[in-house]
Amino acid sequence: MDFKICIIGAGVVGLAIARELSKKHKGIVVIEKNLRFGEETSSRNSEVIHSGIYYPAGSLKAGMCKNGNRMLYEYCEQNHIPHNKCGKLIVTTHSDQLPQLNKLLAQGMANGVENIQLLTKEEINESEPDIYAENALFIPSTGIIDSHRLMKQLYSDSLTNGVDFVFQSRISGIRKMDKGYILNVEDGTGSGDQFTSARVINCAGLDSEKIARMTGIEDEANKLHFCKGEYFKLAGSGIKRLRHLVYPVPDPKLAGLGIHTTLSLDGSMKLGPNVIYLEENMYDYSVDPSHKKTFFEAASKYLPFLEEHQLEPEMAGIRPKLQAEGEDFRDFVIQDETSRGFPGWINLTGIESPGLTSCLSIGKYVGDMFQESKDIE
Ligand SMILES: Cc1cc2nc3c(=O)[nH]c(=O)nc-3n(C[C@H](O)[C@H](O)[C@H](O)COP(=O)(O)OP(=O)(O)OC[C@H]3O[C@@H](n4cnc5c(N)ncnc54)[C@H](O)[C@@H]3O)c2cc1C
């Protein structure tokens, strides 16, 4: 066998798993189709360290996010990764949104999110004098992070622990053997090669369903739906500086968290992301400038200083969603496929938000799955 463990995908999740497993195991390879790590969803997001308030109690998203939040701050401190635990306000702009805010408060408490506060009008004014809000929850554990520096550190830790990285190499075919798997790989020039691995961890993000299908895992219940989120940056004079992230109450089905402010570590601010389900799961990172009006209308409810001309198209990311348009909440899927006839295969699907926040706890979770199974050799 060429490798003990093959990890497909060097996004933040693949990198975190590589780091975690390499503390105990040798013979790990990470295969990435792009030239560098983290060029897809992991570098096209809000870079928010979420608290875990949004997700149903008992879900993987709630648990992974809550633990991942704590683990990520510790990792940032230990490794000097730029971050800011700035806290976040979830605001209502109309009295009929208050029940939703109270529901979030109860859910956050059930999920163990610490120190959430329902602010009075005076407290809202003190913390963010330039916003409009009738009511607000303050969540001190939310923050922002330099996701590139995070990935660089995960990559560097993995290299130090002996992980092999192969870039510009796309997995193009997979065959199950009596023990382990044969993986076909194509490099940037189109020429191919193959290797064997005892175990495979599929964290190919948007392509995770395609990779699972290559192996023979057809799973109607876990079909992916690409869902674009566009961002508009705020530029020009007259923009007030906010100290906290400011979010509206979310869509009840959690397709998105609502068009919100995102602060960068350099103090600049952007708005987004919206929710656009893409037809036929295509890679479409365009930002439609005509969406400016919708962004303005959504955000000016709580940012009264905003003027429409201050919004400029910035970038977009694509969520790998298990939840089809209009459907209810879906959880992360992190599954050992041994019982379905694919021993040593772990599938990660639907790792949308809060995947960045959860990367270290997902790494730990997958590490624990390895501890439980004895047949790693
Ligand atoms: C708009 C938006 C906003 C978000 N905001 C936040 C946020 O604020 N906070 C938060 O916690 N989360 C957020 N997320 C979610 C977070 O970005 C993702 O959960 C996380 O980046 C997923 O990482 P990943 O490693 O699973 O996937 P990816 O980053 O997509 O990595 C998968 C990798 O697999 C590689 N790959 C695919 N196919 C192959 C193949 N055949 N062979 C070899 N390699 C392959 C790809 O090239 C890619 O590098 C957001 C997501 C979006 C889209």
Side-chain angles (χ1 to χ4, degrees):
M1 206 67 75
D2 297 313
F3 295 100
K4 266 191 197 168
I5 305 168
C6 169
I7 297 171
I8 306 175
V12 73
V13 171
L15 293 169
I17 293 173
R19 171 184 171 268
E20 181 66 31
L21 292 180
S22 63
K23 292 178 192 167
K24 291 200 181 128
H25 303 287
K26 295 287 167 218
I28 302 176
V29 66
V30 178
I31 307 286
E32 168 55 53
K33 69 176 154 75
N34 293 322
L35 198 55
R36 281 173 286 270
F37 58 78
E39 292 209 326
E40 301 209 342
T41 311
S42 296
S43 53
R44 294 176 166 275
N45 57 61
S46 303
E47 297 189 296
V48 171
I49 304 178
H50 287 297
S51 64
I53 192 172
Y54 290 112
Y55 317 102
S59 63
L60 277 181
K61 282 183 180 172
M64 297 278 168
C65 186
K66 164 80 179 30
N67 294 334
N69 173 295
R70 179 184 44 78
M71 292 165 85
L72 205 48
Y73 283 122
E74 280 171 17
Y75 190 62
C76 286
E77 291 293 338
Q78 284 159 7
N79 294 289
H80 313 290
I81 298 165
H83 67 289
N84 178 4
K85 198 173 183 177
C86 54
K88 149 167 151 180
L89 296 172
I90 304 179
V91 301
T92 64
T93 52
H94 194 278
S95 54
D96 63 7
Q97 295 169 324
L98 189 57
Q100 246 178 300
L101 201 68
N102 284 327
K103 207 170 144 202
L104 270 181
L105 174 62
Q107 187 166 270
M109 286 164 71
N111 289 352
V113 179
E114 284 157 12
N115 300 324
I116 315 171
Q117 298 158 46
L118 188 57
L119 301 186
T120 62
K121 268 254 186 231
E122 263 178 6
E123 287 168 331
I124 298 172
N125 270 340
E126 255 168 52
S127 62
E128 283 298 352
D130 294 312
I131 66 166
Y132 174 76
E134 293 212 340
N135 297 283
L137 285 183
F138 177 58
I139 302 129
S141 58
T142 303
I144 48 177
I145 182 170
D146 180 336
S147 57
H148 184 75
R149 285 285 297 278
L150 166 67
M151 288 191 277
K152 204 169 159 199
Q153 187 65 44
L154 294 169
Y155 174 62
S156 155
D157 287 356
S158 304
L159 281 179
T160 306
N161 292 346
V163 175
D164 282 325
F165 282 85
V166 185
F167 291 103
Q168 262 192 305
S169 298
R170 176 193 293 271
I171 298 292
S172 55
I174 299 158
R175 197 148 40 90
K176 188 174 80 145
M177 303 186 293
D178 282 346
K179 276 197 163 179
Y181 297 85
I182 300 176
L183 295 104
N184 297 333
V185 69
E186 284 172 6
D187 69 14
T189 66
S191 67
D193 202 350
Q194 57 177 218
F195 63 92
T196 54
S197 181
R199 301 254 186 154
V200 181
I201 304 172
N202 169 15
C203 22
L206 292 163
D207 283 342
S208 57
E209 185 194 346
K210 208 188 279 175
I211 296 283
R213 246 189 284 118
M214 279 181 201
T215 320
I217 303 171
E218 293 283 348
D219 198 340
E220 274 305 306
N222 289 336
K223 271 188 153 342
L224 279 184
H225 307 273
F226 285 21
C227 179
K228 181 160 73 169
E230 299 170 314
Y231 292 87
F232 280 71
K233 67 177 171 199
L234 297 188
S237 59
I239 296 162
K240 308 282 184 193
R241 286 219 159 194
L242 301 183
R243 284 182 288 159
H244 308 92
L245 299 159
V246 180
Y247 283 53
V249 283
D251 151 34
K253 291 191 171 177
L254 277 188
L257 299 181
I259 290 174
H260 54 78
T261 63
T262 298
L263 302 178
S264 302
L265 287 159
D266 65 7
S268 62
M269 192 158 78
K270 60 181 180 237
L271 297 174
N274 57 358
V275 174
I276 304 172
Y277 275 88
L278 298 171
E279 279 174 32
E280 293 170 21
N281 284 0
M282 46 187 180
Y283 280 77
D284 168 9
Y285 291 119
S286 63
V287 179
D288 185 340
S290 75
H291 293 162
K292 185 202 275 209
K293 198 167 187 56
T294 334
F295 272 70
F296 171 70
E297 282 166 2
S300 56
K301 287 187 184 141
Y302 56 86
L303 300 179
F305 58 83
L306 202 61
E307 292 175 33
E308 195 171 332
H309 67 85
Q310 293 167 327
L311 275 67
E312 287 178 11
E314 197 199 41
M315 60 112 174
I318 303 176
R319 307 168 180 91
K321 270 192 174 294
L322 289 168
Q323 176 185 14
E325 193 162 12
E327 277 184 6
D328 287 335
F329 170 85
R330 289 286 306 268
D331 207 355
F332 291 154
V333 170
I334 305 175
Q335 205 156 275
D336 185 328
E337 301 288 354
T338 304
S339 62
R340 293 209 285 184
F342 299 91
W345 186 282
I346 295 177
N347 248 340
L348 287 89
T349 321
I351 312 298
E352 52 161 330
S353 192
L356 174 67
T357 310
S358 308
C359 65
L360 296 177
S361 47
I362 292 176
K364 170 95 175 44
Y365 187 83
V366 172
D368 291 347
M369 286 167 107
F370 270 72
Q371 287 291 98
E372 281 163 21
S373 59
K374 310 257 181 291
D375 60 338
I376 179 131
E377 296 308 321

